[in-house]
Amino acid sequence: LMNVDEKNSVLYYVITQLQNCKFLDKIVVATTELKEDDKIEKFVASMNIDCFRGSPTNVLDRYYKCALKFSLSTIIRITADNPLIDPTLVDDAINIFNSNSFDYVSNAHIRSFPYGTETEVFSFTALEKAWKNAKTNYDKEHVTPYLYNNSDKFKIFDIMYKENMSHLRWTVDKADDLKLVQIITSKIQKRPILMNDIIELFSKEPNLIKINANTSKN
């Protein structure tokens, strides 16, 4: 809920960027049952977006129960630390998923896209198998490792960019990351802001990349 511009938060940007997707039927913010996240639920309601609340640690369980509640057959996972998620990349991933018989499609499992563009698409059937079979805390916290680490059980597809751009970063984990996103949104006036818009800005102003260069990639 920290602000990206004078009045709008990180979560606001995540939602409004995704509202430009052509192939999303519904956006649900899946947050925790913790009292501190009452603010999230209230904010989401103000945007007329559905909210689901579940386990703060077992995020896989939260996802599964959210998908059950809303009867979702396909789930697109976007993390809320990516305020500049590119709706065209999300649509591309959904298209690949819908046009094939994959269980899991991602541009983040094998890195070639910038940090901040992570998109994962998977079937409810695959999610349910992960929910039933995942044993480690890591798998439960991070939702999808059980899928991509069991390629013998699931049909996996990795979307690769034409060149490796994974050295670029506009996800928000640290204060310097937020500062960079604030600058990007002030310099790019069009909405939604796309990956190519940011890459073009960086090519014109390469010093921007240095703002969060010391933030560890995770």
Side-chain angles (χ1 to χ4, degrees):
L1 294 178
M2 295 182 81
N3 275 13
V4 171
D5 59 32
E6 287 181 4
K7 59 178 182 176
N8 296 311
S9 66
V10 169
L11 185 54
Y12 171 88
Y13 270 83
V14 175
I15 292 169
T16 53
Q17 290 276 117
L18 290 172
Q19 284 174 329
N20 288 279
C21 291
K22 294 175 183 163
F23 305 124
L24 286 184
D25 297 320
K26 179 183 280 293
I27 297 171
V28 182
V29 173
T31 190
T32 83
E33 298 164 327
L34 298 176
K35 181 149 185 59
E36 65 200 56
D37 286 328
D38 289 355
K39 289 185 229 173
I40 299 280
E41 185 173 27
K42 186 177 179 183
F43 172 75
V44 168
S46 76
M47 291 190 70
N48 294 316
I49 296 290
D50 284 303
C51 186
F52 179 85
R53 301 186 70 168
S55 171
T57 53
N58 189 343
V59 192
L60 175 56
D61 182 72
R62 195 195 314 168
Y63 262 74
Y64 175 68
K65 287 176 179 170
C66 177
L68 266 182
K69 178 180 177 180
F70 291 99
S71 303
L72 305 179
S73 58
T74 304
I75 296 95
I76 297 91
R77 180 177 183 232
I78 306 295
T79 54
D81 52 4
N82 290 343
L84 299 180
I85 186 70
D86 184 331
T88 65
L89 298 183
V90 177
D91 280 341
D92 288 346
I94 295 170
N95 258 335
I96 291 168
F97 183 88
N98 287 341
S99 303
N100 296 276
S101 57
F102 298 121
D103 299 304
Y104 174 84
V105 170
S106 173
N107 67 356
H109 169 223
I110 299 176
R111 292 279 178 178
S112 63
F113 285 82
Y115 283 73
T117 64
E118 290 85 345
T119 304
E120 297 175 289
V121 187
F122 44 92
S123 67
F124 176 79
T125 304
L127 176 64
E128 187 168 54
K129 286 178 183 173
W131 180 77
K132 286 179 177 176
N133 296 295
K135 297 290 187 285
T136 68
N137 288 337
Y138 183 87
D139 284 353
K140 291 173 182 178
E141 180 188 350
H142 296 281
V143 184
T144 52
Y146 184 85
L147 301 181
Y148 56 72
N149 289 331
N150 287 282
S151 55
D152 56 325
K153 295 184 176 79
F154 302 101
K155 289 183 183 174
I156 309 289
F157 184 81
D158 294 298
I159 305 171
M160 305 301 292
Y161 193 55
K162 59 189 176 186
E163 57 187 302
N164 187 355
M165 303 297 275
S166 62
H167 60 289
L168 298 178
R169 174 188 177 87
W170 50 82
T171 192
V172 177
D173 287 329
K174 305 282 177 67
D176 284 345
D177 294 328
L178 182 59
K179 181 180 176 184
L180 176 61
V181 168
Q182 289 167 336
I183 292 169
I184 291 170
T185 57
S186 70
K187 287 180 176 285
I188 299 174
Q189 299 304 309
K190 69 183 276 286
R191 299 290 184 270
I193 297 173
L194 307 181
M195 176 181 73
N196 289 339
D197 300 326
I198 302 172
I199 291 173
E200 185 180 340
L201 174 65
F202 284 177
S203 69
K204 291 175 182 171
E205 301 185 46
N207 282 340
L208 292 177
I209 300 170
K210 297 175 184 175
I211 290 171
N212 66 343
N214 294 324
T215 306
S216 63
K217 292 180 171 61
N218 50 39

